[in-house]
Structure formats: C-alpha cells, structure tokens
Amino acid sequence: MSARRTDDSSVVVIGLGRFGSRLAGSLLQLDQDVLAIDHEQDRVQHWASRLDRVVQADTTEESVLRQLGVADFRRVVVAIGASVEASVLTVLALTELAIPQIWARATSEKHAKILNSVGAHHVIFPEAETGERVAHLIVSRMLDFMEFGHDFAIAKVRTPASLVGRSLSELAPTDRFGVMVVGAKPPGEPFRYAAPDTVLQADSVLIVEGSIDRVQQFAALG
C-alpha cells in the first residue's frame, strides 16, 4: 500500500447527487485533485467528462475503499443523501481506514448524531451550506466564513502559531497580510473587539475580514 497523501490538494468526494457534484466542481475550481465515487453508473457516466477521476463503487465496504486507494487520502467527503444506511456505513468504513478528516452530509439532526458517533469529524447540512462554501472550509484552516460578493469575506480562524504573543499594532495586519482582525475570543474568555494593543493568544479564535484569498493565506500561516 502507498503512503498516505500528506498534501492538502487532494480530496475524495463520495456521492454525486446535486450537493456532491457541486462540491466536487467547487473543489476543482480551487485547484484540488478530486477523486469522485458513486454507486450509480448513470451518474458516473454523466460526470466522467466533467471531473478528472470518477469511479463506480460500493463505498460501504472497507475493502473496496482500500482497493480504490482512498486510504491514502487525508480528506474524504461523504455526500450521500439518498440512503442514511449507506452514508453511515461509508463513514464507518472510512474510520476503519483511519482517514484524518471525514466530512459527512446529514439529512436530519438524528442522522448527524449517528454520523458523529461512528467517526465523522465534520457534519454538513446542505440546506444551510453551499458546495462552494464547504469547499472553501475543506481546503483551508478557516473555522467558518461568510462571503460577501466575490472579493470580501469575514472568517473565523485560529491564531497562527507564528503570531502568538504579538500585538496588532506590532503586526500592522492590514498592511502585512491584507486582512483586518476585528475581534478575538481567547480560550475560556468572552469575545472582545480588537484594538491596537490586543495581544494574540494561542488557541484564540479570531474574527478577520478581507478577500477570500487573503483570509485563507492568513489562516494558513504557521
């Protein structure tokens, strides 16, 4: 078996319904290498000319996933919506492969609880989450974000390790990073609006604003 992929540009999308196909397309636009899997031949044929790699397979079987090389990926999205059983069994199979990041679509609160209990790390509700939005969250270190048009966003990010202990006045973030830190929530403390003398603490959740690209770059700082 090959070594697990350690890059952040490869994602497996399981289930090519409306949400899964849109998510796969959004990931491709973000320059991600996508392996798409669905159990229906018609869907596989439909998307074969639009996605780089599309495979027909039963993803509820761990052995099948292993044969497809899914065990080598760090991030897998289970976008199955038609069958709760298939969704849950697929997540369970992925946990057996020790996939580091398992994102799973839920159709109800009960479904979400089951997905969490069998090992899903992130649960998605398509009614509230667009494929493009989820794609941005998957490929970045942002905890959450809201986009306004195509050139501005507000996002939640963890304090980058390289900036811990430094004040906003020292960083001049608007000039250096192209984003503005609006506020911060240190661990165990209430949210506070940012000021020039605000010192960034480890594990704080920051609210930042700027373009999507700039916000993603800020979130990815080591």
Side-chain angles (χ1 to χ4, degrees):
M1 187 177 88
S2 60
R4 185 184 299 280
R5 295 187 179 208
T6 57
D7 63 275
D8 288 326
S9 61
S10 301
V11 185
V12 178
V13 176
I14 298 175
L16 288 173
R18 183 167 58 181
F19 176 74
S21 59
R22 288 180 178 176
L23 173 62
S26 295
L27 287 168
L28 287 176
Q29 291 179 359
L30 293 173
D31 297 323
Q32 300 294 295
D33 179 22
V34 177
L35 168 60
I37 308 172
D38 197 283
H39 74 288
E40 292 189 9
Q41 183 61 33
D42 289 346
R43 284 181 178 172
V44 171
Q45 291 178 344
H46 177 75
W47 290 104
S49 62
R50 309 184 190 190
L51 301 175
D52 292 336
R53 292 180 294 161
V54 187
V55 180
Q56 180 188 14
D58 178 3
T59 57
T60 64
E61 296 291 338
E62 177 191 343
S63 60
V64 173
L65 294 175
R66 200 176 288 278
Q67 289 173 6
L68 293 175
V70 173
D72 300 333
F73 287 78
R74 296 184 62 254
R75 299 173 298 176
V76 180
V77 184
V78 180
I80 299 171
S83 171
V84 171
E85 180 181 6
S87 167
V88 172
L89 290 177
T90 296
V91 169
L92 188 59
L94 292 169
T95 61
E96 292 297 320
L97 297 180
I99 302 299
Q101 292 186 39
I102 303 172
W103 297 67
R105 170 187 179 177
T107 56
S108 67
E109 289 292 342
K110 183 177 181 180
H111 186 193
K113 290 180 180 179
I114 297 173
L115 291 172
N116 280 318
S117 69
V118 297
H121 304 114
H122 308 275
V123 174
I124 309 160
F125 287 91
E127 293 77 10
E129 308 277 8
T130 66
E132 182 179 7
R133 172 185 165 82
V134 173
H136 276 293
L137 293 176
I138 290 172
V139 305
S140 75
R141 295 183 181 178
M142 293 186 294
L143 302 175
D144 199 359
F145 87 103
M146 182 177 294
E147 188 174 8
F148 299 87
H150 298 292
D151 57 356
F152 183 79
I154 296 177
K156 290 169 59 177
V157 303
R158 296 278 183 197
T159 301
S162 61
L163 304 185
V164 171
R166 306 178 70 178
S167 69
L168 294 183
S169 60
E170 177 186 357
L171 296 174
T174 301
D175 297 329
R176 285 191 60 185
F177 305 110
V179 301
M180 175 69 72
V181 178
V182 178
K185 186 184 185 306
E189 298 181 25
F191 172 85
R192 297 169 184 161
Y193 286 102
D197 61 351
T198 296
V199 176
L200 302 182
Q201 299 182 33
D203 294 324
S204 288
V205 174
L206 307 179
I207 305 298
V208 301
E209 62 181 34
S211 70
I212 282 288
D213 289 342
R214 290 288 192 174
V215 170
Q216 287 182 332
Q217 290 169 11
F218 182 81
L221 290 173

